[in-house]
Every structure is written in C-alpha cells, then in structure tokens.
Amino acid sequence: MMKMILVPSDFTETAENAAVYALHLAKTMQAGVKLFNVFKAPVEVVGTGVDWPLSDYTSIEKEITTELYYLATRLKGSNYAAAHTYAPIIECECETGPETTTITAKVAQERISLVVMGMSEEGSSEFFLGSTNRDIIDKTNCPLLLIPNNMVYKNPEKIAFATDLRASDVDIVHALASFARYYNAEILLIHVTDGTNEGDYHEEVKEFLKGVSSKINYEKVYYRHVKSIDVKHGLDWLAEHGQVDMLAMVHRKHNILDRLFAPSHTHEVAGDARIPVLVFPEAGENVVVSLF
C-alpha cells in the first residue's frame, strides 16, 4: 500500500508552498500526495426549515475540485518534478464539514502517514490561523509537519528532537530515524533544563541513551544538553543558532502539568518557528508515530 502525505489546502500562497514542500518529500520517499480542501457547504438555515438546493452543493464541490486540479497541475509542471525519475501520484479531494474534525477523520480513514500544513502569519486566511493549527496539533493521530510561511525547501541535514528523556520517546526517535535515513541527516537529541534541581540527571540521560542505542540502528544520533530559562527559549535559541533544518517534538495531549511539554509549549514553539516543525502525537490507541 502506497504511503500518502495529506496536504490541507485553502489555495493561499502559504498552502501552495506547503504543497511544494510535501511534493519534495514525496519524491524522496516515493510516496503519494493528497491535496485536500475542507469547505463549508450550504446547510439548513437555522430556524427557517429551508434547505439549500443540492445543486448549490454540487456546484461548490465542482469548483473546489477544479481548483485542486489546477494546483496539482502546477506542482506536476514544476522544474523539480521534471528533473526526477519518480513522479508522485497527486490526488485531489474535498469534503464539507468542520476543518479539524474532517481532516483528522480523513487521516484515520486512509491511514495517512504524514500531514503537511502551512503556518501563516496573522491576517491571512482563516484556515491557517493559529487556532486551526493548534486544533490539528491537539487532535491528529499521525505526525504533522508545519511549514513556516515562505519557507524554501531544502533537504534536512540536521534534525533536532526535543525530549524530556521519557522512555516512550525512544519509539519517536526510532520513527524519526526512518525519516532521517532518506537524507542521511543527523538527529540531535535536545534536552532543555534551567540548570537547577538536576538531581540524578546524568543517570537519567545515561538510561535514555542506552534505550536509544539498543533499539535504533542509526549512527547519526547525537545528544546535547541545553540550559535555558525555559523550554521555549532554549528551542528558539537552538533553531536560530544551532544550524538546525527541522525541529521535532512530541505533543503531550493529556498531561497539563507535564514539566516539559504541556500543550502550551508545543503550540508556542510551533507558532514562532522559522524552520519546519515535525509534531509527533503522544503514543496511544490508534496513534501512528511511524513515518515511512
């Protein structure tokens, strides 16, 4: 079964840029790309009992599908596409419904391997405002790659993974290694602390790295301890000064008091990032953390 990258699109420049990024990934990993639009269909007017004609829905669906195929044509016609032997299949689909619910349902139904979305600045279209990005981060059960506005694609040579040294993060590093192999990229394991209450810190690091080395057969994995006033400042500094091409992290959904990755940390780091952010869902039932 072909691996598939889902690319939600609202036809903005940011969305198209994310689609271009996804196409590059698909070429390297020999995956398919699905361009997906969620639209608001005419519905019964509240309190009137009047239904919109089915023809209105059909007309909207046809118009959006045509726009998706125009986008697919532009992607297929790019110089990058012509220069490579593998040309990913690009599918187009649209559905009506709430954006986040519809996207997450599509991920589950089609066993999507990766969702690639754009991150727009304030003032752009509603679909890519921070609230929707946050909702997708909270609810998707597969890896999510967020692409900053105007980000130009480059092969990732160094990927930083922010960890709080939990044993469950070893599985995430394993999944990340399967992705890094396509690019022969380094994985930099980052643990951020404020330097206080270190306690048995060195023993904790030792045990975590022991778990990584016993499960992951990938030589380009390194560890770095970063001291900062908090996690966000530490990761911001790393992204700006660490020559990192991509930042990966786990979104902890259910533990608000988590000392490292409470939901606000994931949202804040992703929202301010100037490099792509790969967000893994926390392990659980029906959760996919593997990439390709």
Side-chain angles (χ1 to χ4, degrees):
M1 181 177 179
M2 176 179 291
K3 299 291 185 180
M4 187 67 68
I5 300 173
L6 184 72
V7 185
S9 178
D10 66 346
F11 309 115
T12 60
E13 291 183 5
T14 296
E16 184 161 346
N17 188 57
V20 171
Y21 200 102
L23 183 66
H24 281 264
L25 297 176
K27 288 177 178 300
T28 300
M29 295 177 279
Q30 298 194 353
V33 172
K34 172 164 285 191
L35 304 175
F36 188 60
N37 176 270
V38 181
F39 66 97
K40 296 179 180 179
V43 295
E44 182 177 313
V45 179
V46 178
T48 67
V50 177
D51 291 329
W52 288 82
L54 180 61
S55 58
D56 285 359
Y57 173 89
T58 303
S59 176
I60 294 171
E61 183 181 38
K62 182 177 179 180
E63 181 179 346
I64 292 173
T65 300
T66 299
E67 288 298 322
L68 287 172
Y69 278 110
Y70 282 151
L71 173 57
T73 299
R74 291 195 296 275
L75 294 176
K76 291 176 182 178
S78 66
N79 292 331
Y80 184 88
H84 288 70
T85 55
Y86 178 75
I89 295 173
I90 303 178
E91 299 179 358
C92 300
E93 187 174 345
C94 63
E95 290 186 12
T96 182
E99 289 91 347
T100 301
T101 302
T102 306
I103 291 171
T104 54
K106 179 61 62 176
V107 168
Q109 291 167 3
E110 302 195 8
R111 300 186 65 82
I112 297 296
S113 301
L114 176 66
V115 176
V116 178
M117 290 181 67
M119 292 188 294
S120 286
E121 299 175 353
E122 291 294 328
S124 59
S125 75
E126 179 182 358
F127 188 89
F128 286 95
L129 289 179
S131 60
T132 301
N133 284 145
R134 287 195 297 270
D135 286 346
I136 296 294
I137 288 173
D138 288 340
K139 296 177 182 178
T140 189
N141 284 334
C142 83
L144 168 67
L145 183 61
L146 298 169
I147 309 300
N149 193 30
N150 297 322
M151 182 76 199
V152 177
Y153 178 85
K154 63 167 292 191
N155 287 341
E157 298 177 359
K158 182 182 290 187
I159 304 169
F161 173 58
T163 177
D164 61 356
L165 307 178
R166 297 189 191 198
S168 59
D169 279 3
V170 174
D171 290 334
I172 304 297
V173 179
H174 185 268
L176 192 57
S178 69
F179 174 76
R181 281 190 180 94
Y182 286 103
Y183 303 96
N184 198 31
E186 296 179 3
I187 298 175
L188 190 60
L189 306 178
I190 302 296
H191 183 54
V192 181
T193 71
D194 61 6
T196 62
N197 300 321
E198 293 295 315
D200 297 327
Y201 166 74
H202 294 293
E203 189 63 29
E204 190 178 0
V205 172
K206 182 179 178 181
E207 285 300 310
F208 180 76
L209 295 180
K210 181 179 178 181
V212 170
S213 61
S214 65
K215 185 168 185 176
I216 299 160
N217 183 25
Y218 189 63
E219 294 182 353
K220 292 192 170 187
V221 181
Y222 307 95
Y223 173 79
R224 182 172 181 181
H225 179 207
V226 174
K227 291 186 179 182
S228 182
I229 58 174
D230 59 32
V231 174
K232 182 180 183 302
H233 282 85
L235 296 181
D236 285 347
W237 180 90
L238 178 72
E240 185 174 351
H241 301 287
Q243 297 181 327
V244 173
D245 303 309
M246 184 178 293
L247 174 63
M249 57 197 308
V250 181
H251 180 56
R252 315 288 186 194
K253 293 185 179 181
H254 305 299
N255 188 357
I256 298 176
L257 299 179
D258 185 276
R259 66 185 176 90
L260 181 62
F261 289 120
S264 60
H265 282 116
T266 309
H267 297 154
E268 288 175 2
V269 171
D272 291 343
R274 295 296 178 264
I275 59 175
V277 178
L278 179 58
V279 181
F280 287 90
E282 190 172 21
E285 187 177 358
N286 299 321
V287 170
V288 177
V289 297
S290 61
L291 284 164
F292 296 97

